[in-house]
């Protein structure tokens, strides 16, 4: 099958000779050599599957049981274990739920060597209400349940590391975080909306060395190879859609922590406002999406506690509706997941991959014409699997041992020529209370707060 380079996100090369060659034979020879070269380049860069566009959407801070524990047919739970040995029913989560400890220490403490029974010993989740032992139902998040029922839900998918947003977002672009296990801080205080190379003087992240078992403070401005570098090397298009500098949610813009991208041409060319995604995705006649898109919302739409789940669901629905109404839909795979568990209970013990993870289980929905409707996918995966899928689909090398060994999720899809494509499912916006400007400012401040294990030790008595 012959593919035009523009159909696979590859910029065609100009193969015309730069000097005048005399003699018809030499001209024809060079011309055919150019054609052959472009042909081999096209074969190397063309995707392996019919998926020509990958969209990776990252929401914030929810566990699998918290979101989908009530869904029939999945490995979910509606009761949770306490450190006392007692089990309690998971309560009904409100639209604006609380923010619970999910830093490195708190997550390890909650996991309790795989017993999954110590969430109640973490900050703000103790008796008498055990608020992190809570969950939604299909009535609360009908659109998310609709995607799960009409496309694919993975019920054995985990965050890449046992900790908070900053390092987990690094895994979504690089399959590593250089040993980092914390969000950025400065003198024991939380930073404002700048977490990476834009962090103020004195900012640091905590790094853990499994060989010496020592912790150290290092700069949040890192520099290692990312999936974007692999794509650039092969001429494959990508964009990172995220909040702009100085706006709520900018702290989750992961490439801000990669020095050579933050200070390079890619920052202006490839890192763009998240508000641009709908227009790129929704054009019905011209597919404007790159081969690979990362999509990160602002704080108000992120579902990070204490943001509204209803508003976050509506934002996600608008992005997915845009893809489904656009020219890209029939060649797209959308991966929708949450960056960490947010402190919420989950009953499945994460497998041990290395000193850093895996973290606690989070939802993954795959929304694509190439999945069988109603699939519950139960093979193990992490954020590293998302990178592994892109690497396998475009024949890229691996970045780390994590993505090299990861399940690349290829068997979650049905690529048979006679397979009936899953139809587009355009969903309506659901009712969502409107917050006042004062409430939005308070929300931004609350989201920037991350509770440490030290606070948990001082509070849980």
């Amino acid at each position: 099958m012959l593919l035009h380079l523009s159909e696979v996100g590859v910029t065609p090369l100009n193969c015309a000779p730069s000097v005048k060659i005399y003699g018809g034979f030499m001209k024809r020879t060079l011309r055919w050599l150019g054609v052959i070269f472009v042909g081999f380049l096209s074969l190397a860069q063309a995707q392996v599957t019919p998926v020509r566009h990958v969209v990776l959407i990252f929401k914030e801070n929810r566990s699998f049981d918290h979101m989908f524990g009530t869904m029939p047919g999945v490995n979910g739970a509606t009761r949770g274990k306490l450190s006392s040995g007692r089990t309690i029913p998971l309560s009904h989560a409100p639209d604006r739920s609380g923010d619970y400890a999910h830093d490195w220490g708190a997550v390890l403490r909650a996991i309790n060597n795989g017993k999954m029974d110590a969430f109640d010993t973490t900050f703000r989740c103790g008796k008498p209400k055990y608020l992190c032992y809570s969950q939604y139902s299909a009535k609360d998040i009908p659109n998310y349940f609709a995607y799960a029922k009409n496309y694919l839900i993975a019920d054995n998918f985990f965050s890449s590391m046992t900790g908070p947003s900053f390092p987990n977002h690094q895994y979504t672009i690089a399959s590593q975080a250089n040993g980092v296990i914390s969000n950025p801080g400065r003198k024991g205080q939380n930073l404002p909306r700048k977490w990476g190379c834009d962090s103020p003087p004195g900012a640091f992240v905590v790094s853990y060395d499994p060989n010496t078992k020592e912790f150290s403070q290092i700069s949040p401005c890192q520099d290692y190879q990312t999936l974007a570098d692999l794509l650039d090397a092969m001429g494959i298009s990508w964009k990172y859609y995220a909040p702009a500098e100085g706006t709520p949610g900018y702290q989750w813009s992961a490439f801000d922590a990669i020095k050579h991208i933050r200070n390079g041409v890619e920052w202006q060319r490839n890192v763009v406002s998240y508000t641009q995604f709908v227009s790129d995705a929704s054009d019905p006649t011209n597919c404007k999406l790159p081969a690979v898109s990362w999509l990160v919302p602002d704080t108000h739409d992120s579902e990070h506690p204490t943001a509204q789940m209803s508003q976050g669901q509506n934002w996600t629905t608008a992005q997915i509706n845009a893809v489904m109404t656009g020219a890209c839909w029939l060649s797209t795979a959308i991966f929708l997941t949450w960056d960490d568990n947010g402190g919420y209970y989950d009953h499945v013990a994460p497998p041990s991959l290395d000193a850093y993870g895996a973290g606690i289980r989070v939802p993954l929905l795959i929304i694509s014409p190439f999945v069988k409707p109603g699939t519950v996918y139960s093979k193990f995966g992490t954020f590293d699997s998302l990178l592994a899928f892109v690497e396998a689909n475009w024949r890229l090398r691996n970045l780390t041992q994590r993505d090299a060994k990861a399940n690349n999720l290829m068997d979650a899809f049905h690529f048979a020529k006679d397979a009936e494509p899953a139809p587009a499912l355009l969903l309506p916006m659901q009712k969502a209370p409107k917050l006042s400007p004062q409430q939005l400012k308070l929300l931004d401040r609350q989201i920037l707060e991350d509770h440490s294990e030290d606070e948990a030790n001082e509070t849980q008595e």
Side-chain angles (χ1 to χ4, degrees), residues 53-352:
H53 306 279
V54 169
V55 177
L56 307 170
I57 305 178
F58 297 98
K59 306 305 292 282
E60 292 289 315
N61 294 36
R62 307 286 173 165
S63 74
F64 184 91
D65 281 338
H66 177 68
M67 293 281 292
F68 292 103
T70 64
M71 183 175 176
V74 302
N75 182 13
T78 57
R79 299 183 66 85
K81 297 179 184 179
L82 300 178
S83 57
S84 64
R86 187 162 63 98
T87 63
I88 60 171
L90 301 187
S91 61
H92 178 248
D95 189 41
R96 296 189 65 190
S97 55
D99 189 16
Y100 307 108
H102 51 281
D103 60 277
W104 166 267
V107 174
L108 289 176
R109 187 174 181 176
I111 292 171
N112 194 19
N113 296 312
K115 297 177 183 177
M116 308 303 286
D117 62 358
F119 289 79
D120 60 313
T121 67
T122 61
F123 184 63
R124 288 186 174 175
C125 193
K127 59 185 179 181
K129 294 185 177 181
Y130 305 109
L131 293 175
C132 75
Y133 289 77
S134 65
Q135 64 188 171
Y136 293 104
S137 68
K139 187 178 295 186
D140 302 312
I141 46 175
N143 290 9
Y144 283 147
F145 270 70
Y147 292 135
K149 292 176 181 177
N150 287 276
Y151 297 100
L152 179 147
I153 182 169
D155 65 355
N156 198 28
F157 188 83
F158 299 76
S159 62
S160 283
M161 61 87 58
T162 50
S165 291
F166 180 80
N168 268 307
H169 276 271
Q170 290 303 297
Y171 275 88
T172 69
I173 63 170
S175 211
Q176 66 153 309
N178 194 29
V180 172
I181 61 170
S182 76
N183 289 340
R186 183 174 59 171
K187 297 180 181 179
Q189 297 179 345
N190 299 301
L191 289 182
R193 297 167 183 160
K194 298 180 179 181
W195 273 8
C197 297
D198 292 325
S199 295
F204 64 87
V205 286
V206 177
S207 178
Y208 174 67
D209 185 339
N211 296 316
T212 63
K213 300 188 184 305
E214 293 182 349
F215 298 88
S216 59
Q217 295 180 358
I218 64 175
S219 169
C221 187
Q222 301 287 304
D223 214 7
Y224 38 74
Q225 287 286 289
T226 70
L227 182 59
D229 295 304
L230 303 186
L231 295 169
D232 280 341
M234 297 298 289
I236 298 168
S237 58
W238 65 274
K239 284 183 182 177
Y240 193 92
Y241 298 86
E245 183 177 358
T247 64
Y250 178 63
Q251 67 268 24
W252 300 316
S253 189
F255 283 108
D256 180 38
I258 306 300
K259 185 184 298 183
H260 70 272
I261 290 183
R262 179 63 184 89
N263 298 326
V265 295
E266 296 91 347
W267 187 253
Q268 300 299 327
R269 184 184 65 200
N270 300 88
V271 180
V272 300
S273 172
Y274 74 103
T275 60
Q276 185 179 322
F277 181 82
V278 167
S279 62
D280 284 355
S282 61
D283 191 313
T285 59
N286 181 25
C287 179
K288 296 179 180 178
L289 286 179
V292 179
S293 302
W294 287 266
L295 178 56
V296 177
D298 66 346
T299 56
H300 311 151
D301 300 311
S302 69
E303 294 157 32
H304 186 301
T306 58
Q308 300 161 277
M309 175 58 69
S310 57
Q311 174 62 29
Q313 178 185 238
N314 282 346
W315 179 87
T316 305
T317 301
Q319 315 310 304
I320 295 174
N321 281 352
V323 177
M324 291 181 173
T325 57
C328 303
W329 164 246
L330 290 177
S331 59
T332 295
I334 302 171
F335 297 84
L336 168 63
T337 190
W338 284 255
D339 75 333
D340 60 55
N341 76 306
Y344 289 100
Y345 177 79
D346 194 85
H347 78 282
V348 177
S352 178

Side-chain angles (χ1 to χ4, degrees), residues 25-38:
F25 176 77
M26 184 63 72
K27 289 181 180 179
R28 288 192 297 272
T29 301
L30 285 177
R31 186 180 302 115
W32 279 108
L33 284 173
V35 170
I36 292 170
F37 173 75
V38 172

